[in-house]
Amino acid sequence: KPDEYFSDILGYACIFTEGAYKGEVLIFATAETELYVKDLAQAQFSTSVLSSGDLVTALPLRNRYTNRVAVTGGVVRPGYYAWQEGMTFQELLEKAQGLDRQALVSKASILRRPDRGISEYIEVDPSVYNEPIFADDSVYVSMYNDLTGFDFVAVQGHVEKPGKLAYFPGLTAEQAILYAGGIDPSGDLTMVEVANPILDEKGQLTGRSEISVIRRILMALGRFSSLVPVIFANAQFDCTLVIYFSGAVQRPGAHSLSKNVKS
């Protein structure tokens, strides 16, 4: 209506949401020959009149925080915390309830992203470092697991969830199959192949595998022999290859190769 101001119409829209920037709105308006955009500041809400066909858009708040810092890795309670002027590194660790028992007490890094400057990584000793931190800093405390590569075994074929599993001493073929979701309805319970990579006298992968067949899987009372882990990847890593048979064979499906073969 001609006698209504923008503040009246804003009331019909139940005012702003919590995530809106309330200091200004954009108005997409029509002119005689083309469209145009105009800004409407909050001080003008009660004195400005809209025109028929105007489209008003309230912009969202900026997707950033003015006083947030992050700490992750080897602390008891990783996450975001409120930053205050003058907060030190040790005060942030105290908010995160200190170092975790798996933390490397001598290794931490700070990613600093100043508003007017170049971002940088700062390596510190978390057990003694106590300099001030700044808004938007991200602290990562290293953990012992960061220095340890996990060995793995691959479970393939007729299981519910084929893929890789972390290896630790004591893992058996039976356990690996159970962790992979068990044998699917089309699987054969009476035979499972295990391909163990063969290492040379220096402990390096040779590119060959020793294949053993386990029968009556999940039926025997005793445990099967433990699997040999793959230690790390190198040029001979693809030693646990499989070949798939189909058609007029007794056991169609995946079968392990004992060494790398070029087709």
Side-chain angles (χ1 to χ4, degrees):
K1 296 179 181 180
D3 59 345
E4 288 183 319
Y5 296 100
F6 174 72
S7 57
D8 300 322
I9 300 175
L10 184 60
Y12 300 151
C14 298
I15 67 173
F16 294 100
T17 65
E18 290 79 2
Y21 172 59
K22 304 174 180 62
E24 185 181 74
V25 296
L26 289 180
I27 299 178
F28 296 84
T30 58
E32 292 184 2
T33 59
E34 56 188 4
L35 306 176
Y36 71 99
V37 179
K38 62 181 179 181
D39 301 327
L40 188 62
Q42 187 178 44
Q44 301 171 301
F45 286 178
S46 60
T47 58
S48 296
V49 178
L50 299 182
S51 301
S52 178
D54 285 355
L55 175 64
V56 181
T57 299
L59 299 177
L61 294 173
R62 294 182 63 187
N63 187 22
R64 61 169 295 173
Y65 292 84
T66 59
N67 65 331
R68 185 181 72 173
V69 290
V71 55
T72 56
V75 293
V76 176
R77 292 192 178 277
Y80 294 112
Y81 291 93
W83 172 82
Q84 295 178 342
E85 186 74 34
M87 177 187 288
T88 65
F89 184 89
Q90 293 300 323
E91 288 174 341
L92 176 60
L93 285 187
E94 185 177 350
K95 285 178 175 288
Q97 297 188 8
L99 298 177
D100 185 80
R101 60 185 179 183
Q102 292 294 327
L104 281 175
V105 296
S106 62
K107 291 290 183 181
S109 60
I110 302 173
L111 173 57
R112 181 153 295 159
R113 292 164 289 199
D115 289 336
R116 296 179 179 87
I118 300 174
S119 299
E120 62 176 336
Y121 281 100
I122 305 171
E123 185 171 321
V124 300
D125 183 340
S127 63
V128 296
Y129 183 78
N130 198 28
E131 294 296 320
I133 59 173
F134 299 92
D136 210 29
D137 277 0
S138 294
V139 176
Y140 177 75
V141 180
S142 301
M143 304 181 69
Y144 280 103
N145 292 342
D146 297 335
L147 303 177
T148 305
F150 286 100
D151 302 326
F152 68 88
V153 295
V155 184
Q156 302 175 354
H158 292 274
V159 292
E160 294 291 348
K161 299 177 181 178
K164 295 180 180 179
L165 301 172
Y167 172 85
F168 297 101
L171 179 67
T172 66
E174 181 182 39
Q175 291 169 339
I177 292 173
L178 291 174
Y179 286 136
I183 298 175
D184 68 23
S186 61
D188 187 352
L189 289 170
T190 63
M191 188 180 78
V192 173
E193 286 184 353
V194 177
N196 288 330
I198 298 176
L199 308 179
D200 60 19
E201 62 277 3
K202 297 181 180 180
Q204 304 296 318
L205 293 170
T206 63
R208 296 181 292 115
S209 293
E210 178 183 1
I211 299 175
S212 57
V213 177
I214 298 176
R215 299 190 181 276
R216 297 178 61 82
I217 188 72
L218 303 178
M219 293 182 182
L221 295 177
R223 292 182 177 273
F224 302 111
S225 59
S226 295
L227 302 178
V228 175
V230 176
I231 305 302
F232 52 82
N234 63 17
Q236 299 292 343
F237 182 70
D238 289 330
C239 58
T240 55
L241 299 177
V242 294
I243 185 170
Y244 292 86
F245 286 89
S246 61
V249 293
Q250 290 290 339
R251 294 186 180 277
H255 293 264
S256 299
L257 294 178
S258 61
K259 62 181 179 179
N260 290 336
V261 178
K262 293 184 178 179
S263 58

